[in-house]
Amino acid sequence: MQHKLNGRVAWVTGGGSGIGLAGALALAKAGAHVVITGRNATTNASALTQLQAAGDAEAMLLDVSDKDAVQSIAQNIISKHGRIDILINSAGMNATQRNLNVLTTDSWDEVVNTNLNGLFYCVHSVLPIMRSQGDGLIINVSSWAGLYASKLTGPAYNATKRAVLALSESINMEECSYGIRATSLLPGEVATPILNKRPVPPTLETQERMVQPVDMGNAILFLAQMPARVCVNELVISPTYNRFYLGGLETPPEKK
């Protein structure tokens, strides 16, 4: 029996596109009030139009690497709605020049500050309200690269996405007595706009065989609709036609 999300408040970082937007749409259609945050006002506005056609939603500008701004957004949501039931940490990035022979320390810092520090800032900002509620779901979008390090994704992305698994388990170990549970969501190749930033973007035919954003949205909805007594610690999702198994790619790509 699926649990309706009416009355639930969900915060989705990186909610303007890709996996974040797909998850936000699925949650809004299921009755949740969805707050998306992202760094780009134009992307946020476009996403909000789609979300408001699907359900109840709002959008706010946020760079998750700014810890003070993260805290301000969390308090804004709590002031407006009195609660945060679901946090989807989907904001993420990778360096274009990403391998050790070309990766700069500035690029390393940028990836770490978004993919790991920013994710932690968001988790840290919602834990007090979730503790007081005695309930809360945190979905941290990691990557197949979090399990299988890859030259294609590079050391900064590999390291941060592997760290997400450890952080999620730390949440479960320390916060389960408060009714808080965390899932690491680990997708393989997903047909989202970040693919166009690869040195050789996959063809449209290849992308059609990948996991689609709507599939990720359905996975996020599945997690959100599980009863509070259930913690799905990790959920790995990959294309049936998995190019890493078939030798088409050396190792897994980034998720967004």
Side-chain angles (χ1 to χ4, degrees):
M1 182 72 178
Q2 291 183 334
H3 292 248
K4 295 294 184 182
L5 301 180
N6 301 83
R8 297 285 184 171
V9 176
W11 173 15
V12 184
T13 73
S17 64
I19 293 171
L21 176 55
L25 284 166
L27 296 175
K29 290 175 183 177
H33 176 82
V34 177
V35 180
I36 63 166
T37 57
R39 294 187 295 183
N40 186 293
T42 301
T43 301
N44 281 359
S46 174
L48 185 59
T49 298
Q50 298 179 60
L51 286 164
Q52 290 181 331
D56 191 18
E58 58 188 296
M60 302 180 189
L61 281 173
L62 175 65
D63 180 347
V64 296
S65 68
D66 182 339
K67 60 185 173 184
D68 292 330
V70 167
Q71 188 64 38
S72 178
I73 288 289
Q75 291 306 311
N76 187 316
I77 297 171
I78 294 165
S79 295
K80 283 185 177 180
H81 306 289
R83 59 190 306 109
I84 299 175
D85 300 285
I86 302 167
L87 170 64
I88 313 295
N89 276 312
S90 186
M93 64 163 298
N94 200 354
T96 302
Q97 300 296 316
R98 59 189 59 168
N99 296 113
L100 288 173
N101 62 327
V102 291
L103 179 67
T104 66
T105 54
D106 285 343
S107 292
W108 170 274
D109 288 345
E110 188 176 10
V111 175
V112 172
N113 286 338
T114 297
N115 293 4
L116 182 55
N117 293 344
L119 185 146
F120 171 74
Y121 298 152
C122 293
V123 169
H124 190 266
S125 73
V126 303
L127 286 177
I129 188 66
M130 289 184 172
R131 290 182 189 126
S132 69
Q133 293 165 183
D135 178 71
L137 171 64
I138 298 170
I139 300 174
N140 294 322
V141 181
S142 177
S143 170
W144 184 285
L147 292 174
Y148 308 108
S150 162
K151 288 183 180 178
L152 180 63
T153 44
Y157 194 88
N158 294 339
T160 55
K161 292 303 182 179
R162 177 87 46 107
V164 168
L165 275 70
L167 178 56
S168 297
E169 275 307 284
S170 293
I171 295 167
N172 289 329
M173 286 188 288
E174 297 189 23
E175 302 296 333
C176 64
S177 61
Y178 293 99
I180 299 170
R181 59 208 187 278
T183 298
S184 290
L185 184 57
L186 300 111
E189 289 193 286
V190 183
T192 60
I194 201 173
L195 296 177
N196 296 323
K197 296 182 180 180
R198 289 185 183 174
V200 182
T203 66
L204 289 177
E205 181 181 6
T206 298
Q207 292 188 42
E208 287 172 357
R209 304 185 81 165
M210 295 178 181
V211 175
Q212 299 299 305
V214 66
D215 304 324
M216 296 306 301
N218 289 336
I220 288 169
L221 181 60
F222 161 75
L223 295 169
Q225 290 183 322
M226 293 296 286
R229 64 179 179 269
V230 174
C231 176
V232 180
N233 297 61
E234 296 180 8
L235 181 59
V236 183
I237 299 175
S238 64
T240 301
Y241 185 82
N242 192 326
R243 297 196 294 161
F244 304 116
Y245 293 160
L246 299 170
L249 286 171
E250 180 183 349
T251 45
E254 62 269 46
K255 50 83 186 169
K256 287 185 63 184

